[in-house]
C-alpha cells in the first residue's frame, strides 16, 4: 500500500508520486522545503516575464530560472515537466488543458521560472501559534484578483493577485513581523482588513482556490500571490504559457530556512 | 563663464552639461542623487543580462530597465544616449570606441540596464567621518578583476569586479554597518583585508580606475562593482554592447535615500 503524503514526506519522494500521476494540493507536504509557483514561457517572452518579476518582486519573488530547454537546476533535482501534481496550459491567454504533466507540449525554447510561494511562511506562522484557516478546513488558500495593477513589462500586464488568510486581530502585528522575514516568498502583507480597498467585493467568491470563513475577531489579511503571473498571461494573451495549477505547486530542494532573514 | 560642477549641481543640470560634451568622472556631483552604471545590449542578449543581474545581485543591483528602444524612463528624465559623460562601445567584446554620446550607434532594439553604483553609499560613509581616499586624491576609485566567478546566465559569464576603499581598522565595522543599509547599491563589502584571497596580486595596478595608497592602519575593503557586467561583455564577446566609461556614470533622478533600508 502506498503511504499517504504528509509533512514528513521528502521533496524527491513527493515529486516521484506526482510524476506517477497523483493529483492533490501540496500544502502540508514536505515540511521545510520551499514550494514554487511555475511559469513556463517561450524564449521570446522570457525577457518580459523576467522584467515583470524584477518590477513586481512581492508578487513574483524568483527562486530560480531555468534557461531555455532546461528541465532541472540547482533548485530542483527533478523534472519541471512532470513533477508538479497538475499544470495549466494556456494558449492565447485561455486555459486549454489541465494535464498532470506537460511532456507533450514541451519545446526546447521554453524557459522556466520558479516563483516563491507563501506556503513557506505558513509553517512559520503556524509555529508561532497562528492557525491557517484553509489548512484547518483541508482546502486551498483563497486567492483574488485585485483592482491594483502590476507594473507592466514589455507585453505583460495584469492585476495583482493576492492570497487571503483570516488572522486574529491581536495577532496581525505578529503575522506582519513573521512574514516580513521572508521577502523571497512574498514577504509582508500588501493589505490588512479592507477587501473593498483592493476591489474585492465578495470574500466568499475567490477567483482561485477555495473560500474560507473570516471568523468574528479575525481580520482578512492579504499577501501578494504567485498566481499573479497567470492573471497576466490571461490578460496579455501570449501564444503559449504553462503554469502549475493553483495550489498544486512544484516542491523544490531548497530549504525554507534559506529564505528567512534575521 | 560656466559654473564648475559640484555637489550642489542638480541631476538635470549635470546631464545637460554632459550632453553638451563635458567629460569628467561624476564622483562628487549632484549630491543626494543615485548614479548608475550603464549596460546597453541588443534585445536578443537582454534576457541573459537580466538573468545575470538576477543571479548576481550584489554586483548588478538593478535601479531600472528601459525596454527596447526606450531612451528615458521613470528613473531618468534625460536621454541615455547622450547624458553620461563618456561611453564605451564594445564589438565582439572588444572596446572599439570611447565616445561622449552613442546616438550614432543607437538602434531601436537596444535595451538599457541602469545598475546601482557605490557612489551612493560613499556619501553615507563620508557623513559618518570615513574618508574616501580616491575622493581626497581627486581620482577615480580603483577597481579590480577578481578570481571569483559570477554565476553565469545564458551566454554571459565573467569574473566579479570589485572596487576598493582603504578603511581605518577601527572603522571597518562601521563601514560594513553603513553600506549594509544600501543593498540596492552593492551593499556590504564582499571582502575585507586580503587582496590575494580575491586573486588580486598588486593593489597598485587596478584593472579600472586609479590606484590609491592604503595607509598604515587601514585595511583594503572590497565591494562588488557595477563594472562587473563590462568584464562579462569582454569575456562573452557579444556582437554589440555599450556601457558608460568607468567612473563616468549616468546621474539619475532617483534620490539616494530611496536605496537606504533601516
Amino acid at each position: 500500500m502506498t503511504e499517504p503524503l504528509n509533512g514528513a514526506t521528502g521533496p524527491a519522494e513527493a515529486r516521484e508520486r506526482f510524476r506517477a500521476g497523483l493529483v492533490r494540493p501540496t500544502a502540508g507536504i514536505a515540511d521545510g522545503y520551499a514550494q514554487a509557483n511555475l511559469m513556463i514561457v517561450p524564449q521570446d517572452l522570457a525577457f518580459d516575464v523576467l522584467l515583470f518579476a524584477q518590477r513586481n518582486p512581492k508578487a513574483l519573488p524568483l527562486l530560480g530560472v531555468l534557461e531555455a530547454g532546461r528541465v532541472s537546476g540547482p533548485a530542483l533535482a527533478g523534472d519541471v515537466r512532470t513533477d508538479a501534481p497538475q499544470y495549466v496550459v494556456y494558449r492565447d491567454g485561455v486555459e486549454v488543458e489541465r494535464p498532470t504533466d506537460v511532456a507533450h507540449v514541451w519545446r526546447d525554447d521554453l524557459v522556466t521560472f520558479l516563483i516563491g510561494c507563501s506556503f513557506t511562511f505558513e509553517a512559520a506562522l503556524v509555529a508561532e501559534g497562528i492557525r491557517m484557516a484553509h489548512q484547518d478546513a483541508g482546502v486551498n488558500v483563497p486567492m483574488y484578483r485585485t483592482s491594483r495593477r502590476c507594473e507592466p513589462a514589455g507585453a505583460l500586464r495584469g492585476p495583482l493577485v493576492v492570497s487571503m488568510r483570516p488572522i486574529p486581530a491581536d495577532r496581525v502585528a505578529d503575522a506582519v513581523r513573521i512574514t516580513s522575514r521572508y521577502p523571497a516568498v512574498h514577504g509582508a502583507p500588501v493589505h490588512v482588513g479592507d477587501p473593498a480597498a483592493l476591489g474585492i467585493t465578495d470574500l466568499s467568491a475567490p477567483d482561485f482556490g477555495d473560500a474560507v470563513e473570516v471568523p468574528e475577531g479575525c481580520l482578512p489579511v492579504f499577501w501578494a500571490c504567485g498566481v499573479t503571473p497567470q492573471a497576466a498571461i490571461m490578460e496579455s494573451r501570449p501564444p503559449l504559457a504553462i503554469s502549475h495549477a493553483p495550489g498544486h505547486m512544484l516542491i523544490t530542494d531548497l530549504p525554507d530556512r534559506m529564505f528567512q532573514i534575521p
Side-chain angles (χ1 to χ4, degrees), chain A:
Chain A
M1 180 198 145
T2 315
E3 293 296 316
L5 296 187
N6 57 39
T9 313
E13 186 192 344
R15 289 194 301 258
E16 191 186 320
R17 297 281 295 281
F18 295 132
R19 202 179 312 139
L22 178 68
V23 176
R24 57 155 282 183
T26 49
I29 299 178
D31 283 350
Y33 289 90
Q35 303 197 9
N37 295 280
L38 274 181
M39 180 48 67
I40 303 174
V41 298
Q43 201 158 19
D44 58 9
L45 188 65
F47 176 73
D48 291 354
V49 172
L50 189 51
L51 189 56
F52 195 70
Q54 196 267 331
R55 289 182 177 166
N56 300 283
K58 286 201 85 163
L60 289 87
L62 288 176
L63 304 184
V65 180
L66 306 181
E67 280 124 318
R70 300 275 307 274
V71 299
S72 63
L76 178 78
D79 185 323
V80 294
R81 299 170 298 185
T82 54
D83 290 5
Q86 193 169 31
Y87 299 80
V88 182
V89 179
Y90 296 94
R91 296 202 186 265
D92 301 317
V94 177
E95 177 181 333
V96 293
E97 199 185 350
R98 205 169 268 242
T100 60
D101 74 70
V102 290
H104 60 296
V105 287
W106 189 258
R107 313 181 328 201
D108 279 345
D109 71 334
L110 291 177
V111 175
T112 296
F113 297 85
L114 304 173
I115 298 161
C117 165
S118 50
F119 291 173
T120 293
F121 65 56
E122 287 187 352
L125 290 167
V126 170
E128 297 209 29
I130 301 175
R131 301 183 68 88
M132 299 287 100
H134 62 284
Q135 285 187 13
D136 290 346
V139 298
N140 209 339
V141 69
M143 294 164 265
Y144 306 86
R145 280 195 176 83
T146 69
S147 54
R148 197 180 284 189
R149 301 292 295 171
C150 290
E151 193 69 35
L156 274 186
R157 59 185 186 284
L160 174 69
V161 176
V162 294
S163 59
M164 189 278 286
R165 291 163 187 81
I167 305 287
D170 64 350
R171 303 302 308 272
V172 169
D174 291 330
V176 171
R177 173 181 56 77
I178 293 164
T179 59
S180 295
R181 291 158 60 205
Y182 293 88
V185 283
H186 305 307
V190 293
H191 221 271
V192 175
D194 184 4
L198 288 172
I200 301 169
T201 52
D202 183 359
L203 277 183
S204 71
D207 295 300
F208 310 93
D210 301 305
V212 299
E213 225 176 309
V214 181
E216 190 64 31
C218 282
L219 291 171
V221 179
F222 301 93
W223 279 265
C225 175
V227 171
T228 300
Q230 296 189 47
I233 291 298
M234 292 178 207
E235 183 167 326
S236 309
R237 304 179 166 274
L240 174 65
I242 301 167
S243 74
H244 66 293
H248 297 65
M249 323 300 287
L250 186 67
I251 299 176
T252 75
D253 296 299
L254 301 169
D256 277 340
R257 63 175 183 278
M258 274 183 59
F259 303 107
Q260 186 189 319
I261 61 170

